[in-house]
Amino acid sequence: AQVKAFGSYYTGLYLPTSDIDLAVVGTGATSKKGQVDELHKFASAVKSATMVSGTSFKAIGIEVISKAKVPILKFYHATQRIAVDVCFEQHDG
């Protein structure tokens, strides 16, 4: 699997209040149900993480939006003070 950035942060057109949009691709979760299941697993990992690549990590406001056209995981990276949206198998978000 790979993590790819897209949206305003990726293009450099973001504002200080913009979020980071990430897509996890190559997981094999091609159905909406599969993507939602993977998002819930990922949400559990995000909840329990305290360190990422040697850097302090704390996520708050963790929420899986499963009813959206493209299911996403939303959370706020409290250490870096930025909102993050994650989707699975959506190459362009």
Side-chain angles (χ1 to χ4, degrees):
Q2 293 180 319
V3 177
K4 298 185 175 191
F6 66 95
S8 62
Y9 191 84
Y10 176 74
T11 61
L13 300 173
Y14 62 94
L15 300 171
T17 57
S18 295
D19 63 3
I20 294 178
D21 298 302
L22 302 173
V24 182
V25 296
T27 66
T30 55
S31 71
K32 186 171 182 176
K33 182 187 179 323
Q35 293 169 13
V36 170
D37 290 346
E38 291 300 316
L39 287 168
H40 282 289
K41 290 178 194 174
F42 194 69
S44 293
V46 168
K47 286 177 188 174
S48 62
T50 58
M51 192 76 76
V52 175
S53 298
T55 303
S56 176
F57 178 84
K58 180 177 170 91
I60 58 174
I62 301 164
E63 179 182 12
V64 174
I65 311 294
S66 59
K67 304 270 190 224
K69 181 178 177 183
V70 175
I72 61 170
L73 168 65
K74 297 179 84 62
F75 67 91
Y76 186 76
H77 189 305
T79 310
Q80 296 296 321
R81 298 182 180 163
I82 192 156
V84 180
D85 290 349
V86 181
C87 62
F88 274 70
E89 301 304 335
Q90 301 292 323
H91 295 268
D92 60 356

